[in-house]
Amino acid sequence: MAITDWPADERPREKLLARGTQALSDAELLAIFLRVGIRGHSAVDLARSLIHRFGSLTRLCSASADDFSAVPGMGLAKYAQLQAVMELARRALSETIRERALFDSPQAVRDWLRLRLGHLPHETFCVMLLDARHCLIDAVDLFRGTLTQTSVYPREVVKLALEYNAAAVIFAHNHPSGASEPSTADEMLTRALKDALALVDVRVLDHFVVPAHGAPVSFAERGLL
């Protein structure tokens, strides 16, 4: 049965307009993006199939162009649309965290970090540079590594903080392997960076580990700073 033949209050678009986005399942939200299904399958059926095929929304949104386009009914045009939606979300969250002190919107920071780093297939070390009011000046992906590790050099971090005249920094790096817990090496690196930056009067406010799936883990909340 086509979605247009469903009762009005069960159609994803009408349900969203009447009850808000929170009332929809992942498949229903994705179906609105897809707009149409394929022969024998509604847009909701196709959305469920996509989520099942890739394992989660996160994996679906971070799939390569080749993997995404290999699904019947998908293609490069739809892949480009999905990537545009993801980038719009990143930019909207970036505006949110630039307009106010980062710790006034901790969930926005976590959401932004997940969108920026959570989908990457390699480790990336990001430095968020803050002014004296703890508002974001800029965020720089300073080091890139492999699936399981990356090399971070305190001297380069200090140079970056001085270049931007930052009063404080927040670090973030992802764990593409899926581990969410900070490693011993992560803790040692954070202490070394904190000591190096203290010499130039720049505070380290937090360090987030961003797993491939799930919420970023805060060093500050764990008492590791």
Side-chain angles (χ1 to χ4, degrees):
M1 181 184 295
I3 289 177
T4 52
D5 296 326
W6 294 7
D9 61 352
E10 294 182 12
R11 300 172 197 162
R13 187 181 296 115
E14 285 76 1
K15 184 190 290 189
L16 183 150
L17 293 173
R19 298 164 55 188
T21 56
Q22 298 300 318
L24 275 66
S25 67
D26 291 347
E28 288 171 326
L29 287 169
L30 184 58
I32 293 176
F33 166 77
L34 295 172
R35 296 183 58 230
V36 296
I38 57 177
R39 180 181 292 274
H41 298 278
S42 70
V44 174
D45 294 331
L46 180 57
R48 290 182 182 134
S49 176
L50 281 168
I51 294 171
H52 177 75
R53 180 185 182 110
F54 287 96
S56 69
L57 274 177
T58 301
R59 290 191 177 96
L60 168 62
C61 292
S62 60
S64 69
D66 289 342
D67 289 343
F68 186 87
S69 301
V71 179
M74 298 297 100
L76 291 177
K78 190 65 71 175
Y79 174 80
Q81 290 175 10
L82 180 59
Q83 295 309 306
V85 168
M86 297 298 292
E87 184 59 25
L88 283 171
R90 292 186 191 100
R91 294 186 186 190
L93 283 169
S94 181
E95 288 180 3
T96 297
I97 64 177
R98 285 179 187 274
E99 291 170 355
R100 64 191 72 178
L102 263 66
F103 293 107
D104 289 344
S105 51
Q107 189 56 50
V109 175
R110 278 186 159 88
D111 291 342
W112 180 81
L113 286 172
R114 287 187 67 185
L115 284 170
R116 185 180 178 102
L117 300 176
H119 67 288
L120 297 177
H122 52 267
E123 276 205 11
T124 294
F125 187 86
C126 177
V127 182
M128 304 176 73
L129 301 132
L130 315 180
D131 63 19
R133 297 175 299 132
H134 295 169
C135 292
L136 184 67
I137 302 170
D138 202 355
V140 177
D141 293 339
L142 193 56
F143 302 106
R144 171 176 171 164
T146 64
L147 173 66
T148 57
Q149 65 180 1
T150 188
S151 298
V152 178
Y153 302 99
R155 180 174 179 272
E156 297 302 315
V157 176
V158 171
K159 284 174 58 180
L160 184 71
L162 292 175
E163 177 186 346
Y164 281 83
N165 195 30
V169 297
I170 292 175
F171 302 127
H173 76 280
N174 61 318
H175 280 177
S177 61
S180 60
E181 292 300 311
S183 66
T184 300
D186 292 337
E187 294 182 39
M188 293 175 61
L189 171 63
T190 304
R191 285 195 293 269
L193 292 172
K194 184 177 179 180
D195 290 344
L197 287 164
L199 297 175
V200 292
D201 199 27
V202 176
R203 294 182 60 201
V204 176
L205 301 182
D206 209 339
H207 186 166
F208 287 94
V209 174
V210 184
H213 309 286
V217 175
S218 162
F219 276 51
E221 291 178 357
R222 294 289 185 88
L224 298 176
L225 281 179

